[in-house]
Amino acid sequence: RNTETLKQPLLSQDVSGKGDQVYVLPCGGLFDYVAAPHWFCELVGFFGLGLVAWHLHAVLIPMGMTSYLAGKAVASTRWYRDNFGDKYPSCRRHLVPLIW
């Protein structure tokens, strides 16, 4: 059930009217700059909590999450490029807008 919920924003009804579903590229907002804007915002929140708490564990958790989500963002970018080819914007970054 959860995978269907996660895939829903990427699915759209086929224009042929057969009822088939096809993947579409997300666009607008931060999706114009990165493949995974939701993970970028999550990292901003983690780093914000780390700064507010200013405790060793609160600082280490965002670093671990950064490495984890960076790998997922690279995998997402590969998936988009494999499935959409030339339609995928070449200027779109993995996780951090305008940087990486």
Side-chain angles (χ1 to χ4, degrees), residues 5-18:
T5 304
L6 293 174
K7 287 193 280 185
Q8 195 59 35
L10 298 175
L11 294 174
S12 177
Q13 290 294 329
D14 186 10
V15 292
S16 66
K18 295 178 183 175

Side-chain angles (χ1 to χ4, degrees), residues 34-99:
V34 292
H38 44 296
W39 293 331
F40 171 70
C41 293
E42 190 174 326
L43 288 177
V44 169
F46 274 118
F47 276 101
L49 288 173
L51 286 173
V52 170
W54 201 246
H55 187 271
L56 178 63
H57 292 116
V59 174
L60 291 176
I61 287 173
M63 291 180 189
M65 289 303 295
T66 300
S67 67
Y68 171 69
L69 292 176
K72 289 182 61 122
V74 169
S76 293
T77 301
R78 280 192 197 130
W79 185 89
Y80 282 131
R81 287 187 178 143
D82 289 345
N83 287 292
F84 293 106
D86 293 336
K87 292 180 184 177
Y88 186 77
S90 60
C91 61
R92 191 178 286 183
R93 304 293 183 197
H94 299 294
L95 187 61
V96 181
L98 306 174
I99 297 174

Side-chain angles (χ1 to χ4, degrees), residues 19-32:
D20 295 334
Q21 292 186 332
V22 295
Y23 288 102
V24 295
L25 270 171
C27 60
L30 285 176
F31 275 110
D32 291 341

